[in-house]
Amino acid sequence: MPHLFVEYTDNLDGFPEVPVLTALNATVIASGEVLDECDLKSRVTRTTRFAVGNDATASRGFVHAELRLLTGRTPEAKRDLSERIAAVLREHTPKPEGMLVQLSVDVVDMDRAAYFKGRL
Amino acid sequence: MPHLFVEYTDNLDGFPEVPVLTALNATVIASGEVLDECDLKSRVTRTTRFAVGNDATASRGFVHAELRLLTGRTPEAKRDLSERIAAVLREHTPKPEGMLVQLSVDVVDMDRAAYFKGRL
Amino acid sequence: MPHLFVEYTDNLDGFPEVPVLTALNATVIASGEVLDECDLKSRVTRTTRFAVGNDATASRGFVHAELRLLTGRTPEAKRDLSERIAAVLREHTPKPEGMLVQLSVDVVDMDRAAYFKGRL
């Protein structure tokens, strides 16, 4: 059931989308928090129109992930997942010379009572 | 005020974006949970870079919807909306031979005290 | 740490993406709610496939913003941010003749205990 959304700014040339997805899914599955591996659905998008703070130049970029999980995880389990995801992103994200690159991971509860899940 | 976001993986060839939007809006409006029909704002996006579980091949796809509503609905009303949306998606989503296609609907509360709503 | 997502429908020809980002960031930073200006990460996306209510024509459009903040702001601070963002969007959004254009701002808490933040 988890959904993972990763977004990176397009000044991070060479961001390796497929390796990042593969590594993230392996890491999240290895955490033991996903009952069935095929429940984890992840995607990467490239953000082309952005601004970081008051800087209009290309000297700032970011990678941001959002993990959405059904309610019930402990705060510790969520923090652990957040850090695992950040470690993968840190390892794979290119760091252009002179650029400030921020990294963030948001973990969001999904309402178990309202969530629908099925297969075609 | 509701916002509906639908996303589908691009291995679901022929996903009928416009008919899905039309059917979803008709269904959500018919639920009686939208005071003014024009408040319902829906969009569909095609996801091109994704991974489902530990599988790097094209044999898995998904359709995911997120409905965002102002706080105040009962759990039953939210579950009902979730199931109505899932039913529309199930009816319209193509099922390629041999592909595992997952379907999910997340219903999210929006904070009524902070939400801004207006018209130009 | 705040994340700001702005989305507009593609029937709003001439929506000024860069000026909107610049003005929004200046406004949110001026609110005093962002400790370090470079923490504010904003993006604009153009929505091409959408439907507003039961109307399939091009006579309805919208601009929607979502501001994600770490938990801890008062309801008043969140409402204030929401209104500041709406004011910037109202000022910059084109209003095509005969079109109903809706404007909305959603303010969302991010779980401080689980949120990861770092730099490369």
Side-chain angles (χ1 to χ4, degrees):
Chain A
M1 117 296 297
H3 287 275
L4 179 58
F5 303 81
V6 176
E7 172 195 9
Y8 68 98
T9 54
D10 72 352
N11 53 4
L12 297 172
D13 282 331
F15 184 90
E17 297 182 348
V18 173
V20 164
L21 281 171
T22 303
L24 282 173
N25 280 19
T27 296
V28 174
I29 291 166
S31 76
E33 291 291 330
V34 183
L35 283 184
D36 183 347
E37 56 81 20
C38 82
D39 280 344
L40 176 61
K41 293 171 276 288
S42 303
R43 43 291 228 187
V44 170
T45 56
R46 186 178 173 99
T47 296
T48 56
R49 195 64 97 187
F50 62 94
V52 179
N54 57 24
D55 178 37
T57 74
S59 67
R60 293 174 175 183
F62 62 84
V63 181
H64 178 61
E66 183 178 316
L67 178 67
R68 301 184 75 93
L69 295 161
L70 288 180
T71 41
R73 264 78 176 188
T74 64
E76 292 72 27
K78 290 193 271 189
R79 180 70 198 177
D80 176 64
L81 282 165
S82 173
E83 291 178 351
R84 287 172 187 257
I85 290 167
V88 170
L89 294 174
R90 184 182 296 279
E91 181 188 343
H92 286 82
T93 302
K95 171 74 174 72
E97 185 71 28
M99 187 183 296
L100 173 67
V101 182
Q102 297 181 59
L103 184 59
S104 53
V105 184
D106 184 16
V107 181
V108 181
D109 276 339
M110 300 191 297
D111 177 6
R112 191 178 285 273
Y115 192 76
F116 176 91
K117 176 183 167 182
R119 294 186 178 184
L120 285 198
Chain B
M1 123 292 302
H3 288 275
L4 179 58
F5 303 82
V6 177
E7 173 197 8
Y8 69 98
T9 54
D10 72 351
N11 53 5
L12 297 173
D13 282 331
F15 185 91
E17 297 182 349
V18 173
V20 163
L21 281 171
T22 303
L24 283 173
N25 280 20
T27 296
V28 173
I29 291 166
S31 75
E33 291 291 329
V34 184
L35 283 183
D36 183 346
E37 56 81 19
C38 82
D39 280 344
L40 176 62
K41 293 171 276 290
S42 304
R43 44 293 227 186
V44 170
T45 56
R46 185 175 173 101
T47 296
T48 57
R49 197 64 96 185
F50 62 94
V52 179
N54 56 23
D55 179 36
T57 75
S59 66
R60 294 173 174 183
F62 62 84
V63 181
H64 179 61
E66 183 178 317
L67 179 67
R68 300 184 76 93
L69 295 162
L70 288 180
T71 40
R73 265 75 176 191
T74 64
E76 292 72 27
K78 290 195 271 190
R79 179 73 199 176
D80 177 63
L81 282 165
S82 173
E83 290 178 351
R84 286 171 188 257
I85 290 167
V88 170
L89 295 175
R90 183 182 294 280
E91 181 187 344
H92 286 82
T93 302
K95 171 73 174 73
E97 185 72 26
M99 188 181 296
L100 173 67
V101 183
Q102 296 181 60
L103 184 59
S104 53
V105 184
D106 184 15
V107 180
V108 181
D109 276 340
M110 300 191 297
D111 177 7
R112 191 178 287 272
Y115 192 78
F116 176 92
K117 176 184 167 181
R119 295 185 178 184
L120 286 199
Chain C
M1 119 296 299
H3 287 275
L4 179 57
F5 303 81
V6 176
E7 174 197 7
Y8 68 98
T9 55
D10 72 352
N11 53 5
L12 297 172
D13 283 331
F15 185 90
E17 297 182 349
V18 174
V20 164
L21 281 171
T22 303
L24 283 174
N25 280 19
T27 296
V28 173
I29 290 166
S31 75
E33 291 290 330
V34 183
L35 284 185
D36 183 347
E37 56 80 19
C38 81
D39 280 344
L40 177 61
K41 292 171 277 289
S42 304
R43 44 291 230 186
V44 170
T45 56
R46 186 176 172 99
T47 296
T48 56
R49 195 64 95 187
F50 61 93
V52 179
N54 57 23
D55 178 36
T57 75
S59 66
R60 295 173 174 182
F62 62 85
V63 181
H64 178 60
E66 183 179 316
L67 179 67
R68 300 183 76 92
L69 295 162
L70 287 180
T71 41
R73 264 77 176 189
T74 64
E76 291 72 27
K78 291 193 273 189
R79 180 71 199 177
D80 177 62
L81 282 165
S82 172
E83 290 178 352
R84 286 172 189 256
I85 290 167
V88 171
L89 294 175
R90 182 182 296 280
E91 181 188 343
H92 287 82
T93 302
K95 172 72 174 76
E97 183 74 27
M99 187 182 297
L100 172 68
V101 183
Q102 297 181 59
L103 184 58
S104 51
V105 184
D106 184 15
V107 181
V108 180
D109 276 339
M110 299 191 296
D111 177 6
R112 191 178 287 272
Y115 192 76
F116 176 91
K117 175 184 168 180
R119 293 187 180 183
L120 284 199

